[in-house]
Amino acid sequence: MNAPKFLALLTLAASPAWGCDNPFGYSYLAETIKPGQVEIVQWVTGRIGRDLGNGYDARYRGFDLKTEVEWGISPNEQLAVYVNSRYFERTARNGLLFDGFQIAYKRMLSNPDTQDWGVALYIEPGYSQVSSKNGAHRDQLKLETKLLLQHNFGANDEWVYAANIIGELEHETATHADTVKLKLTQGLARAVGANWYLGAEAILEAEWAEFNNHQYTAVLAGPCVRYQRDGFFVRFTALAQVTATPANKGDLNVTKKSPYEGRLLFGYEF
């Protein structure tokens, strides 16, 4: 083997496999984990500043706590189980409440490591008993479906772009009330060194009650970061409302959607 070919192979072997590490807090990648691999992740999603009906409540703090266990079941399939709770700090209610659970299945249709675009389908049925908006108790069945898109690019695939097209149906068993949510998430990040990703995410989200009663449409955006080392990882995204309709505080809607959100995830792959 001549020297140029040897150096090229050596460089390729030394380059990190960036594409399998998700740098985003809200956007999913199309890739699945390897068969037999297990990942345990703790999610903490915080929301602040919602108006609960008595004016702008700066004390409002809502936290969604989610423990996830996911494992690869084939080269292009994975399963995940989520167990959830919620914590609220506001004038009317304080405390940690068990919320419910979800089971998720993801199937990769196109691998972004071998194709220009990675594509995957994701389906997640679940049960919830605590409202994320006000802490009210209710029994709710949920079904979330996602089309996941991923594009890795750059000299060593150090850039990753992800887009998720999401539809969610929520049904309250007591009142038979239905809620429909549509979301589009996008994220762009770049690997910086062997352990870090830096990037940004944006989310367009809309909600309807009973399929035809529009509640809100909001756009949120903010930075994201990921650190990883020896199987351990932590990632964080901070989002702020950019615009919303109907607006009730400047260009924002603070009654239907918190103006500020943040999501911290940390876990271990083995």
Side-chain angles (χ1 to χ4, degrees):
M1 180 181 295
N2 59 39
K5 288 185 177 180
F6 175 77
L7 291 175
L9 289 175
L10 185 63
T11 300
L12 182 61
S15 300
W18 304 117
C20 61
D21 301 318
N22 188 353
F24 307 117
Y26 290 79
S27 300
Y28 287 61
L29 297 186
E31 291 174 305
T32 55
I33 61 177
K34 296 178 181 179
Q37 183 178 359
V38 177
E39 184 173 282
I40 300 176
V41 187
Q42 180 62 50
W43 303 48
V44 182
T45 303
R47 304 174 308 279
I48 62 174
R50 280 196 68 209
D51 182 342
L52 299 179
N54 298 314
Y56 183 77
D57 186 356
R59 282 196 56 205
Y60 173 85
R61 303 287 187 272
F63 294 92
D64 303 332
L65 308 176
K66 179 182 296 189
T67 301
E68 173 192 6
V69 179
E70 65 179 38
W71 60 95
I73 58 175
S74 83
N76 59 355
E77 295 174 293
Q78 72 179 50
L79 289 175
V81 175
Y82 303 86
V83 178
N84 310 319
S85 58
R86 300 189 193 275
Y87 175 82
F88 291 90
E89 179 184 337
R90 57 188 177 90
T91 304
R93 181 190 297 271
N94 295 322
L96 181 66
L97 305 170
F98 172 75
D99 180 31
F101 58 88
Q102 293 103 25
I103 300 173
Y105 169 78
K106 181 164 75 168
R107 180 179 181 86
M108 181 173 60
L109 305 178
S110 176
N111 191 332
D113 290 333
T114 58
Q115 305 292 326
D116 284 341
W117 284 88
V119 181
L121 297 177
Y122 179 101
I123 183 168
E124 181 186 282
Y127 165 75
S128 170
Q129 65 180 26
V130 178
S131 170
S132 64
K133 297 178 180 179
N134 56 22
H137 287 261
R138 79 285 182 272
D139 291 318
Q140 185 183 78
L141 301 177
K142 307 172 69 173
L143 179 64
E144 186 175 280
T145 59
K146 301 180 183 182
L147 176 64
L148 311 179
L149 305 174
Q150 177 183 347
H151 180 52
N152 303 331
F153 61 100
N156 295 308
D157 282 348
E158 66 272 19
W159 285 92
V160 57
Y161 167 79
N164 297 174
I165 303 170
I166 305 167
E168 185 175 342
L169 174 63
E170 301 172 345
H171 175 77
E172 292 190 20
T173 58
T175 63
H176 301 290
D178 294 315
T179 301
V180 175
K181 294 181 180 179
L182 297 178
K183 299 179 185 179
L184 171 63
T185 78
Q186 295 188 83
L188 179 65
R190 188 186 192 282
V192 180
N195 303 109
W196 292 91
Y197 271 105
L198 297 176
E201 284 190 85
I203 299 175
L204 170 64
E205 179 178 323
E207 180 179 304
W208 291 264
E210 299 303 327
F211 299 95
N212 58 6
N213 183 4
H214 177 253
Q215 300 295 296
Y216 70 90
T217 299
V219 176
L220 301 92
C224 62
V225 60
R226 173 184 172 113
Y227 173 79
Q228 59 196 29
R229 183 165 183 169
D230 298 330
F232 171 79
F233 65 88
V234 57
R235 60 188 198 257
F236 177 73
T237 295
L239 296 178
Q241 271 194 49
V242 178
T243 185
T245 182
N248 49 40
K249 181 177 172 58
D251 294 329
L252 311 181
N253 185 317
V254 298
T255 58
K256 299 294 184 179
K257 184 72 176 177
S258 294
Y260 304 104
E261 290 189 17
R263 177 169 290 174
L264 173 71
L265 303 94
F266 56 92
Y268 191 78
E269 303 169 346
F270 56 92

